[in-house]
């Protein structure tokens, strides 16, 4: 393995393979409910980037049970991560969040609680709740940064400044939770240099990183710009080339949670090559081998 993969990290931390269970806490997002905007980030699907999560009408314990049954039908996995994925999963009343998080974190077979959110949705009350839970179950917080560049952040309608991310990182570090930052590769107007700057910045401040290829999805404003020829999506070769450079500049102890993207194929418009995940991963690994991207820094 040419990078510190999530699987390696999970095996060395928990001693065996661990599956993520995608949960739906029924949240919305300030970028959609009108607090900041009603349009959402320009690339975000109607499902709030969580097309594979469970039904929010079900209690969390039931969502977990159903997911466990599905996973156990194809593997003997005993340990799971409870992952609140769609929309902004700290954007609610703290009493509601407490009930939700406790229900997800309490079962013995849940080894960590992972929460996807925005850096501007981490009030002091939420931080204190995360601290409380992190004392008995590891908490991971995923921050959707996507880019450090102001112009791109405005174009994608992220809705917060880089300084807000910096403040969130400091707060999260002070309570010792695991920080995972999302970066999108291939955003309109960004050069390879821009992408590497974002990855370096996030890598120096995070325990883990999710590198996500830009997907153009149906029913998004990004699709309108794409159809109007405002930008092109990356080819597989271009993506792998920049990805290798990103991996090379990451600190060796930063866990790589994602190398491509797991978009919903029903919604995907471009790049269509990304739907063939096996081919993408084979090309990535072949290129890693050829370029020796980690300069001999191999992970078992
Ligand atoms: S912050 Fe997340 S959920 Fe909200 S609009 Fe942006 S990508 Fe979608």
């Amino acid at each position: 393995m040419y990078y510190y993969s999530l699987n390696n990290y999970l095996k060395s931390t928990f001693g065996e393979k661990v599956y993520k269970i995608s949960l739906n806490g029924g949240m919305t997002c300030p970028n959609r409910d009108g607090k900041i905007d009603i349009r959402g980030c320009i690339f975000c699907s109607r499902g709030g980037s969580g097309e594979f999560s469970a039904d929010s009408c079900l209690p969390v314990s039931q969502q977990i049970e159903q997911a466990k049954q599905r996973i156990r039908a194809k593997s003997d996995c005993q340990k799971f991560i409870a992952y609140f994925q769609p929309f902004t999963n700290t954007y609610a009343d703290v009493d509601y969040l407490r009930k939700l998080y406790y229900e997800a974190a309490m079962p013995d077979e849940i080894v960590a609680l992972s929460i996807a959110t925005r850096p501007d949705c981490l009030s002091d009350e939420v931080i204190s709740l995360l601290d409380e839970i992190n004392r008995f179950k590891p908490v991971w917080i995923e921050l959707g940064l996507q880019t450090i560049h102001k112009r791109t952040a405005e174009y994608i309608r992220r809705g917060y400044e880089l300084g807000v991310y910096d403040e969130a990182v400091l707060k999260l570090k002070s309570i010792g939770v695991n920080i995972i930052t999302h970066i999108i590769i291939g955003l309109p107007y960004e050069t390879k240099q821009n992408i590497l700057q974002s990855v370096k910045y996030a890598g120096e401040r995070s325990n883990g990183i999710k590198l996500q290829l830009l997907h153009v999805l149906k029913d998004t404003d990004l699709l309108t710009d794409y159809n109007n020829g405002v930008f092109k999506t990356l080819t597989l070769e271009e993506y792998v080339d920049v990805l290798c450079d990103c991996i090379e500049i990451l600190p060796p102890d930063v866990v790589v949670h994602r190398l491509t993207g797991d978009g919903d194929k029903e919604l995907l418009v471009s790049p269509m090559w990304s739907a063939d995940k096996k081919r993408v991963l084979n090309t990535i690994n072949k290129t890693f081998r050829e370029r020796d991207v980690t300069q001999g820094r191999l992970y078992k």
Side-chain angles (χ1 to χ4, degrees), residues 21-29 32 44-56 63 83-91 100 114-118 142:
I21 293 178
S22 203
L23 301 172
N24 191 333
M27 311 279 174
T28 177
C29 166
R32 284 189 175 276
C44 182
S45 60
R46 285 178 199 275
S49 304
E51 270 68 31
F52 304 119
S53 7
D55 180 353
S56 66
Q63 294 183 34
Y83 178 32
F84 287 102
Q85 183 180 14
F87 298 105
T88 302
N89 292 284
T90 56
Y91 187 51
L100 208 64
S114 185
I115 299 167
T117 191
R118 296 169 53 94
E142 297 195 6

Side-chain angles (χ1 to χ4, degrees), residues 4-137:
Y4 194 6
S5 73
L6 178 61
N7 271 346
N8 280 350
Y9 172 76
L10 292 173
K11 276 192 188 148
S12 62
T13 307
F14 301 110
E16 58 190 84
K17 194 165 173 57
V18 180
Y19 273 83
K20 263 189 182 178
I21 293 178
S22 203
L23 301 172
N24 191 333
M27 311 279 174
T28 177
C29 166
N31 225 3
R32 284 189 175 276
D33 72 358
K35 187 172 177 198
I36 297 173
D37 206 313
I38 53 167
R39 298 168 298 168
C41 299
I42 197 164
F43 52 79
C44 182
S45 60
R46 285 178 199 275
S49 304
E51 270 68 31
F52 304 119
S53 7
D55 180 353
S56 66
C57 296
L58 293 176
V60 162
S61 53
Q62 221 170 312
Q63 294 183 34
I64 292 175
E65 267 322 300
Q66 287 188 354
K68 270 171 27 188
Q69 282 172 17
R70 276 197 306 275
I71 293 166
R72 283 188 174 145
K74 53 183 181 181
S75 106
D76 61 354
C77 180
Q78 301 299 322
K79 293 183 180 173
F80 305 91
I81 294 167
Y83 178 32
F84 287 102
Q85 183 180 14
F87 298 105
T88 302
N89 292 284
T90 56
Y91 187 51
D93 181 83
V94 80
D95 291 333
Y96 176 77
L97 295 176
R98 174 173 281 103
K99 186 176 167 298
L100 208 64
Y101 296 167
Y102 267 81
E103 196 176 339
M106 287 309 282
D108 286 342
E109 68 270 27
I110 299 293
V111 294
L113 178 67
S114 185
I115 299 167
T117 191
R118 296 169 53 94
D120 56 354
C121 292
L122 291 165
S123 65
D124 290 347
E125 290 82 10
V126 168
I127 291 287
S128 160
L129 172 61
L130 298 175
D131 185 23
E132 192 181 303
I133 294 169
N134 193 47
R135 287 169 196 267
F136 68 87
K137 199 72 49 106

Side-chain angles (χ1 to χ4, degrees), residues 113-248:
L113 178 67
S114 185
I115 299 167
T117 191
R118 296 169 53 94
D120 56 354
C121 292
L122 291 165
S123 65
D124 290 347
E125 290 82 10
V126 168
I127 291 287
S128 160
L129 172 61
L130 298 175
D131 185 23
E132 192 181 303
I133 294 169
N134 193 47
R135 287 169 196 267
F136 68 87
K137 199 72 49 106
V139 171
W140 301 0
I141 297 295
E142 297 195 6
L143 298 173
L145 178 65
Q146 325 308 0
T147 178
I148 61 166
H149 301 287
K150 192 175 169 61
R151 182 181 172 205
T152 326
E154 284 170 2
Y155 171 74
I156 65 173
R157 307 192 298 245
R158 190 180 64 192
Y160 66 85
E161 301 279 332
L162 183 59
V164 176
Y165 167 81
D166 293 335
E167 269 174 43
V169 166
L170 287 180
K171 285 199 233 175
L172 293 168
K173 278 191 190 290
S174 76
I175 57 167
V177 299
N178 203 302
I179 302 170
I180 299 146
T181 301
H182 292 213
I183 296 291
I184 296 182
I185 295 178
L187 286 167
Y189 310 115
E190 291 215 332
T191 62
K192 187 199 252 193
Q193 188 62 19
N194 293 149
I195 298 164
L196 291 173
Q197 285 163 342
S198 293
V199 168
K200 183 168 186 296
Y201 194 91
E204 286 167 351
R205 289 157 180 79
S206 311
N207 307 92
I209 193 155
K210 274 191 174 176
L211 299 169
Q212 161 85 46
L213 164 71
L214 178 72
H215 283 150
V216 180
L217 302 178
K218 286 177 190 159
D219 292 329
T220 61
D221 289 341
L222 189 66
L223 176 59
T224 308
D225 281 3
Y226 177 75
N227 285 337
N228 287 335
V230 172
F231 70 99
K232 287 185 179 155
T233 48
L234 297 178
T235 64
L236 175 58
E237 291 69 30
E238 286 168 339
Y239 182 69
V240 173
D241 177 59
V242 68
L243 185 71
C244 286
D245 287 353
C246 292
I247 296 290
E248 265 177 342

